[in-house]
Amino acid sequence: MKVRYSYLPQQFQDSDDLWSDLKSFVSTGDFTLGKPLDEFEKNFANLIGAKFAIGVNSGTDAIKLSLKALGVKPGDEIITAANTFVATVGAICELGAIPIFVDCDDTFCMNVTLVEEKISKKTKAIVPVHFTGYMTNMPDLMKISEKYNLPVVEDACQSILGSINNINAGKWGTTGAFSLHPLKNINVWSDGGIIVTDHKDLDTELRLLRNHGLKNRDSVEILGYNSRLDTIQAVVGNWILPKARSISEQRIFNANFLDSKLSKIQGIKIPPRPKNYRLVYHLYIVFAEQRDELLNYCIEKGIEAKIHYPIPMYLQKGVSFLKHKKGDYPVTDEHCNKIITFPCDQHLDKEQLEYICKTVNDFYES
Ligand SMILES: Cc1ncc(COP(=O)(O)O)c(C=O)c1O
């Protein structure tokens, strides 16, 4: 049996209505900003429970523009997770700011108990990453943010509709940054991103920043970027957004199924699943003994398992100027050797999920 990783060929299969929406849209010529984008922003803000949503051209820019709007300048320090995807760090460094890493815990998110010791006079913001569809411990992080008066930009790129105590990812911080990249739970057909916030002044600033700083056709208020969410992608977004809840429900269902079977296998450890957290399983990751052998075995048996990620961000060549060395973030290091990602998306059937569990079981029993 084959259990493929990418479900993209299936995701837009039954989409005749989308094609007719696109056809009507093209005939309007409303290709820059415009009505479909307004609609998408309103619906996205409603989905998260935020007052405002601002479409931008990627999740990376959603982080970068948020930090820029908060006044981050070259040399400022931004506290973030040591084990994130490169984009978080790239967004910080693009502004000339310095990422200050915090190690993660077994939730794959930053260990919030380690944040305070990283705060210095140069700290300007905290960027927690809700990695894998997990949630950073936001109740505790927001206490630190209030104590030190530091804004929080949530990197919620992997965690749309994740929540703690029914408060959604993106709604805790000063802003929340989401990605609509094809590989994300809610995806469009190209790059795309969106920022949510409850602050009117930030909404105004972010709308300027994403559109060259233009107040109107003729007046440049500030220097900004060309970072609009493509209006065609907003049409696609309007088609997929009503499916957001059912997509995450199905992922949660699949993850619970995998948890229930894999937890019985000696050699596999399931990460913590706190009751008041809603995890949305952008990635379904467990800890495995003999991880590399298990990975090869699964691939041989037709299961496209993966590692997210084998080399931690803080040790990547591209950030060698930060002068970190192996061992600086021991939990992140340990994870790199133990984690394995299995397919868990909404298009898998029960047979495929059972096959994953059986294959893992066979590996440890053989
Ligand atoms: C944790 C994290 N942050 C930021 C991003 C950036 O998103 P995008 O690819 O839309 O720029 C991603 C996407 O891959 C991500 O996984």
Side-chain angles (χ1 to χ4, degrees), residues 58-60 63 84-85 87-88 129 131 155 157-158 179 181 184 192:
S58 65
T60 310
I63 301 166
T84 185
F85 178 64
T88 323
V129 183
F131 205 48
D155 179 343
C157 287
Q158 298 194 358
S179 169
H181 179 275
K184 294 299 186 295

Side-chain angles (χ1 to χ4, degrees), residues 216-230:
N216 54 44
R217 186 179 172 280
D218 302 317
S219 311
V220 179
E221 188 82 355
I222 54 171
L223 279 183
Y225 303 88
N226 180 350
S227 184
R228 299 175 293 261
L229 176 59
D230 183 339

Side-chain angles (χ1 to χ4, degrees), residues 115-185:
V115 169
E116 272 188 283
E117 66 197 51
K118 302 280 176 158
I119 295 175
S120 79
K121 284 202 180 93
K122 290 185 180 173
T123 309
K124 284 286 147 51
I126 308 173
V127 182
V129 183
H130 305 315
F131 205 48
T132 78
Y134 223 106
M135 288 288 298
T136 307
N137 178 347
M138 291 310 290
D140 286 0
L141 188 66
M142 291 317 290
K143 283 186 200 141
I144 297 171
S145 139
E146 276 155 35
K147 182 169 164 194
Y148 293 90
N149 197 20
L150 287 170
V152 170
V153 173
E154 287 175 74
D155 179 343
C157 287
Q158 298 194 358
S159 199
I160 183 166
L161 290 179
S163 67
I164 301 177
N165 300 335
N166 295 320
I167 300 174
N168 282 324
K171 174 73 188 167
W172 290 86
T174 321
T175 71
F178 293 86
S179 169
L180 306 167
H181 179 275
L183 291 177
K184 294 299 186 295
N185 286 13

